[in-house]
Amino acid sequence: MTAGQAEQFAEVFERLVSGVERVLLGKHHVIRMAFTALLSGGHLLLEDVPGTGKTSLARAIAQSVQGASNRIQFTPDLLPGDITGVSIYDQRSGAFEFHRGPVFANIVLADEINRASPKTQAALLEVMEEEQITADGVTHPVAEPFMVIATQNPVEQAGTYRLPEAQLDRFLMKASIGYPDHASTIRILEGAGRRAHAVVIPAVVSAATVVELAALARTVHVDPSINDYVSRLVDATRTSTAVRLGASVRGALALIRTAKTLAAANGRHYVIPDDVKQLAEPVLAHRLLLDPEAEFDGVTPSSIIARILIETPPPGDRQAA
């Protein structure tokens, strides 16, 4: 990536974020994280209470990139075929015909994923990893770009199935939308007569352009000292006394991938330590398995990442450009 390409990337990125902000008011940082995940070729996990705009976020992102979006409400009786699709016998042709499920879209909102059985969760996570479905010996690739925005409700845990740590590792990033601030709430109330799904976001780029931007982000330069910094951060999660299972190599790769995208979004063709610091918590925190005693004492994955960032010195300011 050249300096000029980085500037163009940043300009398109900000137009995408500004468009979605028309729907999700006062959540600039979360929207940037969502597009960072999309352009890094990954998936996003949102842990939030109901009514914070998760569905609106997924729909607005799909509209801004001229893509299709589907919403899947996860329930205990949801079956894997309800997500991926099923083969139905056609009496006229005498053959089975595959009917595609809702996962065949650019942006898929998996609402309250922890309410479905582990088998159904695994079906979605397999598609996220493989980006294809095989039915009756025939492979059906999903759309490009393809992003799953899964949500978990931190309250009302009765009857839910917690995502295992190995499955949480499949999500590139984890974030929380949270409630809007006072000023944003006033603006929302002023537009109370207009339903959220009635707002149409004008497309900024095509789905094909998103694929090209993602490929361009992968060419951002990463200095060896940045790789060393990321490696030391990940190692620190494994040696922390409060952590039973630290971040995997997949977590380290995810941190580099997202740092490249964030650097380009900021108009740079090279990664700096601040890119890594900004993304360390949303990329690494959900990959940590805490020691039960530490968890009982109120220690959280986010607090561990914050402490590690303080204790792990970043490389010097001099970066190869």
Side-chain angles (χ1 to χ4, degrees):
M1 177 183 285
T2 64
Q5 289 174 322
E7 291 179 1
Q8 294 176 356
F9 188 103
E11 189 270 333
V12 174
F13 191 91
E14 285 305 317
R15 284 167 53 203
L16 288 167
V17 172
S18 298
V20 176
E21 274 190 302
R22 293 175 52 189
V23 173
L24 205 64
L25 302 175
K27 297 299 176 182
H28 182 80
H29 177 71
V30 175
I31 297 171
R32 282 181 63 88
M33 289 298 100
F35 276 112
T36 298
L38 174 64
L39 294 174
S40 299
H43 309 284
L44 178 66
L45 177 63
L46 295 175
E47 186 170 83
D48 245 321
V49 296
T52 52
K54 301 181 291 291
T55 304
S56 297
L57 173 63
R59 184 185 297 111
I61 289 176
Q63 290 177 346
S64 64
V65 299
Q66 284 185 341
S69 66
N70 281 328
R71 176 180 178 272
I72 308 171
Q73 179 63 55
F74 278 64
T75 57
D77 60 347
L78 193 72
L79 299 175
D82 296 330
I83 297 173
T84 59
V86 294
S87 294
I88 300 177
Y89 184 75
D90 188 341
Q91 292 183 339
R92 289 176 296 181
S93 63
F96 282 93
E97 182 179 346
F98 181 69
H99 291 250
R100 298 190 171 198
V103 77
F104 286 92
N106 298 108
I107 309 295
V108 178
L109 176 64
D111 214 355
E112 295 185 298
I113 187 174
N114 55 331
R115 294 203 178 277
S117 67
K119 185 176 182 179
T120 302
Q121 292 176 6
L124 175 64
L125 292 163
E126 183 179 359
V127 179
M128 290 164 51
E129 184 71 15
E130 303 295 335
E131 296 191 351
Q132 64 182 24
I133 293 170
T134 301
D136 301 326
V138 179
T139 299
H140 305 272
V142 295
E144 287 191 35
F146 173 64
M147 178 185 184
V148 172
I149 301 178
T151 72
Q152 286 191 128
N153 190 342
V155 297
E156 298 179 358
Q157 292 297 314
T160 63
Y161 301 86
R162 181 177 177 179
L163 282 174
E165 281 69 21
Q167 295 184 1
L168 283 171
D169 202 31
R170 304 288 180 179
F171 287 94
L172 186 69
M173 302 170 68
K174 180 183 177 182
S176 175
I177 296 178
Y179 291 119
D181 56 26
H182 178 72
S184 298
T185 301
I186 295 298
R187 292 174 59 192
I188 293 171
L189 295 176
E190 289 173 348
R194 181 177 55 181
R195 298 181 66 87
H197 69 264
V199 179
V200 178
I201 303 298
V204 175
V205 293
S206 65
T209 302
V210 172
V211 176
E212 295 173 359
L213 290 172
L216 186 61
R218 291 194 291 270
T219 66
V220 170
H221 175 72
V222 180
D223 190 79
S225 63
I226 296 293
N227 287 326
D228 176 74
Y229 181 46
V230 169
S231 179
R232 287 186 286 116
L233 288 174
V234 171
D235 285 341
T237 67
R238 300 167 184 165
T239 57
S240 173
T241 57
V243 178
R244 189 169 63 178
L245 183 65
S248 65
V249 175
R250 184 186 283 119
L253 290 170
L255 192 51
I256 290 294
R257 284 167 54 194
T258 53
K260 286 183 175 185
T261 303
L262 186 61
N266 290 328
R268 281 181 280 100
H269 61 291
Y270 56 91
V271 176
I272 63 175
D274 283 347
D275 297 325
V276 176
K277 290 180 181 179
Q278 186 175 344
L279 291 163
E281 194 273 335
V283 172
L284 297 180
H286 67 285
R287 304 173 192 271
L288 306 185
L289 180 60
L290 300 187
D291 181 81
E293 291 186 7
E295 197 168 7
F296 181 78
D297 291 337
V299 177
T300 64
S302 296
S303 65
I304 291 174
I305 296 297
R307 188 181 73 247
I308 288 175
L309 287 173
I310 294 174
E311 296 175 350
T312 306
D317 294 334
R318 179 179 175 273
Q319 297 294 328

